[in-house]
Amino acid sequence: MSAWSLAFVPTLVRRERASLAATMIAPAIALVIAIALNLGLYILMGRDPVAVVYAMLFEPFLSWASFSEVLLKAGPLLLIAQGLAIGFRAKVFNIGAEGQFILGAIFASAIPVWFPQATGQWIWPAMLLLGAIGGALWASLTAFWRVRLNANEILVSLMLSLVAAQLLNYLLLGPWKDPNGFNFPQSVMFQYDAMVPTLIAGTRVNVSFLITLALSVAAWVFMQRSFIGYKLQVGGLAPRAAGYAGFKEGWAIWLSLLIGGFAAGLAGAAEVAGPLGQLQRSVASGYGYAAIIVAYLGGLHPIGIVISALVMAVIYIGGDNAMVSANLPIAAVRVFQGSLLLAYLIAVAFVRYRLEWRRAAHRSPS
């Protein structure tokens, strides 16, 4: 004998239309949730949560010197995230921006490493252009494998980042190592004309920040006002419909990855020609991975990404402060970044879906 019984199970049901207000407030809710979760973590670690929050979220705004460092950090995060977001909206997931960032730094460094005595105002613009080309070329490897061989672009781009890191190590421990650098894995210091001009006197913020803002405006125009951007978005939202309309998937993959690689390579070039002033192993600082969080936290929208890049830069600088003043380990800062992305994804899930309890009938033995 058996009998039927009823049970209620939670089910996510897609909303017909996501609320614009809820979409805009989701990042703020995610930030509050992430702060609350990490406060609990700091208490369990035996740290003073008030001191940590003060150092991480308030100290970056207390002096112009600290805030200028926020702007310096926000530049590469913003630039890379804008490039990645274009691909993400087309459902092309470039996870290898870190490798493209490294290749951009390597390509840009070739000029001052090979021609250390060169002079002229043409050097730093040429370095930025060469770095952008390097990043795009590295991304083209992923595009080729994805289009021609149907390889997963997530895995290919991620693995290529590891290859890029090893290429950087080889150069700095081998042919590009500074002979007068006391055996440190770094290149020669770049000459004056190979450095991007300072934008704000007394700070490390340079002209590349203005370039980043200009490209952010260009990203908005491209995605919101151009036919090519419209085609990419349609391809991401409705690939079958895009196929019927004649939009080619391979073309979208190539374009998305090249744009992302170009932006990441340009950011890498600006890093070595800006605050670093030479090619170092520390150039692989995780900007490419953090920019993924920035892109999603900004809702993959160019304007939202500007705000989220500033938030992430504050966490970077505030985390450095907390490591000194509150004895916070660097791993805790990375946990904060990861929990912020997780909280945002959960918040967005409830913006796009609603939770319903539905009856599920099942037979049970009697």
Side-chain angles (χ1 to χ4, degrees):
M1 298 289 293
S2 62
W4 287 92
S5 62
L6 294 177
F8 288 91
V9 296
T11 305
L12 288 176
V13 180
R14 189 173 185 87
R15 302 178 189 273
E16 293 183 2
R17 185 175 182 180
S19 168
L20 178 60
T23 301
M24 295 180 66
I25 203 174
I29 294 175
L31 181 60
V32 171
I33 294 174
I35 291 174
L37 289 174
N38 283 273
L39 281 177
L41 176 63
Y42 303 149
I43 293 173
L44 292 176
M45 294 170 59
R47 303 296 192 272
D48 182 358
V50 176
V52 173
V53 170
Y54 177 81
M56 185 175 290
L57 301 180
F58 290 95
E59 280 190 3
F61 298 98
L62 295 182
S63 68
W64 174 242
S66 294
F67 186 69
S68 68
E69 290 298 306
V70 171
L71 296 179
L72 185 69
K73 286 284 186 181
L77 291 171
L78 175 58
L79 183 55
I80 300 170
Q82 294 287 16
L84 292 180
I86 292 174
F88 291 166
R89 293 182 72 170
K91 296 298 186 291
V92 178
F93 298 102
N94 177 10
I95 309 300
E98 182 74 4
Q100 295 145 26
F101 179 89
I102 293 173
L103 261 293
I106 291 174
F107 270 61
S109 300
I111 295 178
V113 168
W114 289 341
F115 307 102
Q117 304 302 323
T119 59
Q121 290 299 311
W122 61 271
I123 298 180
W124 69 264
M127 290 174 63
L128 295 186
L129 178 60
L130 195 59
I133 293 173
L137 288 175
W138 199 246
S140 70
L141 298 177
T142 301
F144 174 81
W145 282 82
R146 173 66 177 86
V147 174
R148 299 298 298 272
L149 304 175
N150 200 31
N152 186 291
E153 73 272 16
I154 295 176
L155 295 177
V156 173
S157 61
L158 184 60
M159 293 301 101
L160 283 174
S161 292
L162 302 179
V163 176
Q166 294 307 313
L167 177 60
L168 176 66
N169 287 333
Y170 163 73
L171 291 173
L172 294 181
L173 293 171
W176 284 12
K177 186 177 181 180
D178 183 5
N180 300 316
F182 301 99
N183 209 33
F184 285 103
Q186 59 191 26
S187 73
V188 297
M189 292 295 297
F190 297 166
Q191 61 265 44
Y192 178 79
D193 287 337
M195 302 294 293
V196 180
T198 300
L199 178 63
I200 304 173
T203 71
R204 298 197 298 163
V205 182
N206 55 57
V207 172
S208 66
F209 188 74
L210 290 181
I211 297 174
T212 297
L213 293 179
L215 291 178
S216 295
V217 174
W220 181 84
V221 173
F222 179 77
M223 293 305 295
Q224 305 295 326
R225 293 292 183 267
S226 73
F227 182 62
I228 296 177
Y230 170 75
K231 288 167 65 175
L232 288 176
Q233 293 187 66
V234 170
L237 294 172
R240 290 187 178 181
Y244 285 128
F247 299 166
K248 297 180 180 179
E249 181 185 13
W251 169 86
I253 293 170
W254 272 101
L255 182 60
S256 298
L257 285 167
L258 289 178
I259 289 175
F262 184 93
L266 179 58
E271 190 71 6
V272 294
L276 294 183
Q278 63 180 163
L279 186 62
Q280 305 172 356
R281 283 200 290 191
S282 61
V283 72
S285 56
Y287 281 135
Y289 300 120
I292 298 173
I293 303 176
V294 171
Y296 276 105
L297 192 63
L300 302 182
H301 191 282
I303 297 176
I305 291 172
V306 173
I307 299 172
S308 62
L310 289 172
V311 171
M312 187 61 68
V314 168
I315 294 173
Y316 262 108
I317 300 302
D320 291 342
N321 295 337
M323 283 189 288
V324 175
S325 62
N327 196 27
L328 193 70
I330 188 172
V333 178
R334 294 171 180 167
V335 168
F336 191 108
Q337 295 175 350
S339 62
L340 181 58
L341 176 60
L342 179 61
Y344 174 74
L345 294 176
I346 294 173
V348 168
F350 284 99
V351 170
R352 298 175 180 174
Y353 297 86
R354 65 178 183 273
L355 185 63
E356 290 187 357
W357 292 87
R358 293 185 174 181
R359 291 182 176 181
H362 66 275
R363 293 181 65 124
S364 58
S366 58

